[in-house]
Amino acid sequence: MDDAVTELADRVRALLMAEPGLEEKRMFGTRAFLLDGRILVGARKEGVLLVRVTEEKGATLLTEPGVSVAVMGAKSMGPSWLDVTATAIESDDALMFWVDAARDSAAG
């Protein structure tokens, strides 16, 4: 696991550690954070944040800088799975925006 993944996972963990039902697992080459068994976000290579949202919200969020539809292997995951570049989540506020987007979609 590269340093960027470890650093991002540490930042995500710090933001979510008070969340009841939070679980951390390694899945698909990603350090994934699950809430009640559902993936919220994941730390991917090069410090990219994988974010799971509703398709509707994902279509809107794709207009944000540094955001693209996630690709796993050769498969595009569709607008409910987004990759957010490391440069787009440099600040804690920016990272929290994406964690909240995933949490809001999970709650909805």
Side-chain angles (χ1 to χ4, degrees):
M1 190 117 341
D2 70 30
D3 290 344
V5 171
T6 301
E7 182 184 325
L8 179 55
D10 289 346
R11 290 177 65 207
V12 170
R13 192 178 309 107
L15 292 174
L16 289 172
M17 66 184 177
E19 194 74 49
L22 183 71
E23 194 178 353
E24 185 176 340
K25 289 184 176 180
R26 289 188 181 191
M27 305 170 75
F28 319 114
T30 299
R31 177 115 25 113
F33 292 85
L34 296 81
L35 190 58
D36 300 324
R38 184 182 189 277
I39 296 174
L40 280 182
V41 295
R44 302 183 76 185
K45 65 183 177 183
E46 298 173 15
V48 170
L49 184 71
L50 175 69
V51 181
R52 183 179 185 183
V53 293
T54 62
E55 283 198 24
E56 183 180 321
K57 188 166 197 155
T60 302
L61 291 171
L62 275 167
T63 62
E64 295 289 325
V67 179
S68 60
V69 172
V71 175
M72 291 190 194
K75 184 179 179 199
S76 174
M77 301 302 290
S80 59
W81 294 92
L82 305 176
D83 273 342
V84 182
T85 62
T87 54
I89 52 170
E90 286 177 341
S91 76
D92 287 343
D93 286 345
L95 179 57
M96 195 71 220
F97 170 85
W98 291 103
V99 169
D100 282 343
R103 205 174 4 202
D104 292 348
S105 289

